[in-house]
Amino acid sequence: METVTIRVDTLKRVIRALEDAVSVCHNVDSSEDADHEKTYPFATGYSRSAMTSAIMDLNNLIAK
């Protein structure tokens, strides 16, 4: 089995971004349209961006 060495700060950054995306999803309130950060479209885009970044970061780690 191959292993990868990863800096702790890199791993924490990926985890933090995913945790932030989960938080955005938990804070969705469809009755609050005035605050765009609590809408489903915002949560979807934010989460997709976080997941895409995590995938890129993790792929870069295994490509080294």
Side-chain angles (χ1 to χ4, degrees):
M1 175 194 295
E2 291 183 65
T3 61
V4 175
T5 301
I6 180 172
R7 291 176 46 121
V8 172
D9 63 323
T10 301
L11 187 56
K12 285 181 178 181
R13 181 175 39 85
V14 172
I15 292 169
R16 186 172 39 255
L18 293 171
E19 288 174 336
D20 288 346
V22 169
S23 178
V24 167
C25 290
H26 278 287
N27 291 324
V28 167
D29 180 0
S30 61
S31 66
E32 182 62 47
D33 289 334
D35 186 358
H36 76 279
E37 291 185 3
K38 292 189 176 183
T39 64
Y40 287 107
F42 179 83
T44 300
Y46 193 100
S47 298
R48 180 177 50 217
S49 176
M51 291 183 286
T52 300
S53 293
I55 290 167
M56 287 174 31
D57 288 343
L58 295 172
N59 277 328
N60 287 336
L61 289 169
I62 60 173
K64 290 182 178 183

